[in-house]
């Protein structure tokens, strides 16, 4: 039996994965096919160009000048690993006589395919994000067709035309159920594969996520915050226009990851970078309220999200997100507020209101507890920067 050419894989799976559309799942892809496809890329220029053009369109919403992309072997392997993970949850996998031993082999192969080396190269980071940016939005539509004499269910497939014909006469009814990321890729078989895959594309985790996704590992993604353009794009993506819960979902998720980061032994510079980024997100909340009729009015968002009656429904990390500026003020005031805040009096006024309201609703005990955790990592906080870089006094010569 002839093995599929890389053109088929790019056209049927990779292109719709990037540009949107129906992705087609076939038989599991072994490592030998991925190795062979790397050499076949030169004979798939049309399909490869379609993928790279779609990736540039994705990245154009993040950076002003998207770099040129060329599909490489590591990205082929990442896509193949995702394909194999989707095969494991395919409705017809059991019909294809997939035994437990075969499933274990497919999982091991998928893990090997997604275990590509981490990269901090800006072009490669953008390329991987563009390839996998729809990962959290993959869904499967299951259709149940019922008629006067029976019913049938089609998982991820369109029902045949003969079953939905003569709707009125045969009393045909279609019920569609959408299966999302959590039911597709957060199940025990695929969760290790997806967790490994996501660590290879930290930008995707930074700008987007799903409640069922593994938490962001900040040590993998903190380098992105040192790229001003990417950090700015991530911040604007994380705080969209919308209801208060929509605005705090992404920042709270990153604050929860920051809590886990503080339990490890991260580099102090990394802790400072993440803390400063979360403070910047808090400033965006203030910026969004500059249009309030009463400049000194309390924040409607904070009143809603930090209300005592809503304490049991707060997303994880929310308390840390709002308590962080106050805690940093006690540990290192230099990063407790965004730079240049004093040059915008209206923004500074809203910032003051937010801090007072947060202290009132959360309580000083929560802020002090977070400050205590920060002190274990920000050990140079109380020293002036000039002292850290100053040269030692010369030792006088002895006779």
């Amino acid at each position: 039996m002839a093995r599929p050419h890389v053109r088929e894989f790019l056209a049927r799976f990779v292109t719709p994965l990037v540009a949107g559309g129906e992705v087609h799942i076939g038989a599991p892809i072994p490592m030998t096919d991925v190795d062979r496809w790397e050499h076949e890329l030169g004979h798939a220029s049309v399909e490869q160009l379609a993928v790279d053009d779609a990736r540039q369109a994705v990245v154009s919403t993040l950076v002003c000048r998207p770099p040129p992309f060329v599909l490489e072997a590591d990205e082929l392997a990442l896509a193949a690993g995702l394909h194999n993970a989707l095969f494991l949850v395919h409705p017809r996998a059991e019909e294809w006589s997939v035994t437990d031993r075969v499933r274990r082999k497919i999982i091991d192969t998928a893990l090997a395919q997604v275990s590509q080396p981490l990269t901090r190269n800006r072009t490669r980071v953008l390329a991987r994000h563009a390839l996998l940016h729809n990962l959290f939005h993959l869904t499967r539509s299951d259709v149940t067709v019922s008629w006067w004499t029976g019913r049938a269910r089609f998982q991820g497939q369109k029902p045949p035309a003969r079953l939905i014909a003569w709707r009125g006469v045969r009393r045909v009814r279609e019920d569609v159920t959408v299966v999302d990321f959590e039911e597709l890729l957060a199940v025990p078989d695929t969760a290790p594969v997806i967790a490994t895959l996501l660590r290879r594309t930290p930008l995707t985790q930074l700008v987007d996520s799903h409640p069922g996704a593994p938490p962001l590992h900040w040590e993998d993604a903190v380098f992105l915050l040192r790229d001003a353009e990417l950090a700015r794009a991530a911040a604007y993506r994380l705080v969209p226009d919308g209801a208060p819960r929509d605005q705090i979902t992404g920042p709270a998720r990153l604050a929860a990851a920051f809590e886990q980061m503080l339990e490890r032994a991260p580099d102090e510079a990394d802790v400072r970078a993440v803390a400063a980024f979360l403070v910047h997100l808090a400033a965006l909340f203030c910026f969004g309220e500059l249009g309030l009729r009463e400049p000194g009015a309390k924040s409607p968002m904070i009143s809603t999200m930090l209300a005592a009656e809503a304490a049991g429904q707060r997303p994880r990390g929310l308390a840390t997100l709002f308590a962080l500026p106050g805690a940093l003020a006690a540990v290192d005031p230099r990063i407790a507020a965004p730079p240049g805040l004093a040059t915008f009096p209206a923004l500074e006024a809203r910032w003051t209101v937010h801090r007072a309201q947060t202290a009132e609703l959360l309580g000083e005990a929560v802020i002090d507890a977070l400050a205590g955790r920060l002190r274990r990592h920000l050990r140079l906080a109380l020293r002036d920067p000039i002292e850290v870089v100053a040269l030692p006094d010369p030792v006088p010569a002895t006779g």
Side-chain angles (χ1 to χ4, degrees), residues 52-94:
D52 292 335
D53 286 348
R55 291 199 292 176
Q56 281 201 309
V58 171
V59 173
S60 66
T61 63
L62 292 177
V63 296
C64 294
R65 296 182 179 180
F69 296 137
V70 176
L71 193 67
E72 297 187 2
D74 64 320
E75 294 156 355
L76 267 180
L78 294 175
L82 175 59
H83 174 279
N84 287 343
L86 290 170
F87 172 85
L88 292 170
V89 295
H90 195 283
R92 296 181 61 186
E94 295 181 359

Side-chain angles (χ1 to χ4, degrees), residues 63-368:
V63 296
C64 294
R65 296 182 179 180
F69 296 137
V70 176
L71 193 67
E72 297 187 2
D74 64 320
E75 294 156 355
L76 267 180
L78 294 175
L82 175 59
H83 174 279
N84 287 343
L86 290 170
F87 172 85
L88 292 170
V89 295
H90 195 283
R92 296 181 61 186
E94 295 181 359
E95 300 178 12
W96 293 335
S97 300
V98 180
T99 63
D100 291 341
R101 181 178 177 182
V102 173
R103 290 183 71 87
R104 183 68 257 172
K105 184 177 180 180
I106 296 172
I107 293 172
D108 292 342
T109 301
L111 277 172
Q113 290 167 339
V114 300
S115 297
Q116 300 299 310
L118 301 178
T119 179
R120 294 192 174 188
N121 179 276
R122 192 176 196 264
T123 299
R124 304 315 311 152
V125 167
L126 290 171
R128 289 185 180 185
H129 167 68
L131 178 70
L132 300 167
H133 75 107
N134 277 325
L135 179 61
F136 297 115
H137 305 285
L138 288 173
T139 59
R140 189 187 73 208
S141 296
D142 297 344
V143 183
T144 301
V145 181
S146 57
W147 60 98
W148 57 0
T149 59
R151 60 186 299 170
R153 188 180 184 189
F154 301 89
Q155 296 176 300
Q157 297 177 330
K158 294 180 180 179
R162 59 182 179 81
L163 284 185
I164 58 177
W166 298 89
R167 290 178 179 271
V169 176
R170 298 173 58 244
R171 301 177 186 174
V172 177
R173 178 179 175 181
E174 291 184 74
D175 296 316
V176 180
T177 303
V178 178
V179 180
D180 67 354
F181 171 87
E182 190 167 7
E183 295 182 63
L184 279 178
L185 295 172
V187 295
D189 279 353
T190 59
V193 178
I194 299 305
T196 305
L197 176 65
L198 286 172
R199 290 196 65 177
R200 272 63 189 172
T201 175
L203 182 58
T204 305
Q205 276 193 295
L206 186 61
V207 302
D208 194 12
S209 188
H210 186 278
L216 173 68
H217 198 270
W218 264 119
E219 286 86 337
D220 294 339
V222 68
F223 73 96
L224 297 170
L225 303 182
R226 298 185 173 101
D227 186 311
E229 188 177 26
L230 292 182
R232 187 184 304 111
Y236 293 156
R237 185 74 65 89
L238 286 164
V239 187
D241 293 331
R245 180 163 292 275
D246 295 334
Q247 292 184 346
I248 60 92
T249 297
R253 169 177 54 86
L254 298 186
F258 182 61
E259 293 175 355
Q260 297 182 2
M261 182 186 189
L262 295 179
E263 297 301 321
R264 300 188 287 267
D267 186 79
E268 180 175 349
D270 291 347
V271 176
R272 290 179 179 276
V274 177
F277 181 71
L278 294 177
V279 167
H280 178 74
L281 296 182
L284 292 183
F285 297 147
C286 299
F287 188 83
E289 294 182 352
L290 291 181
L292 293 180
R293 292 184 178 180
E294 299 180 12
K298 290 187 176 181
S299 168
M301 180 186 66
I302 294 181
S303 298
T304 301
M305 302 311 303
L306 296 185
E309 56 271 17
Q313 301 177 352
R314 293 175 187 168
R316 184 177 178 183
L318 184 67
T320 295
L321 175 67
F322 285 105
L324 184 60
L328 286 171
V331 178
D332 189 354
R334 294 169 296 180
I335 57 175
L341 183 65
T343 60
F344 298 94
L347 185 61
E348 186 179 25
R350 291 309 304 164
W351 179 265
T352 303
V353 170
H354 276 219
R355 303 286 66 78
Q357 192 175 354
T358 297
E360 177 186 348
L361 293 176
L362 286 182
E364 295 294 340
V366 174
I367 297 175
D368 292 342

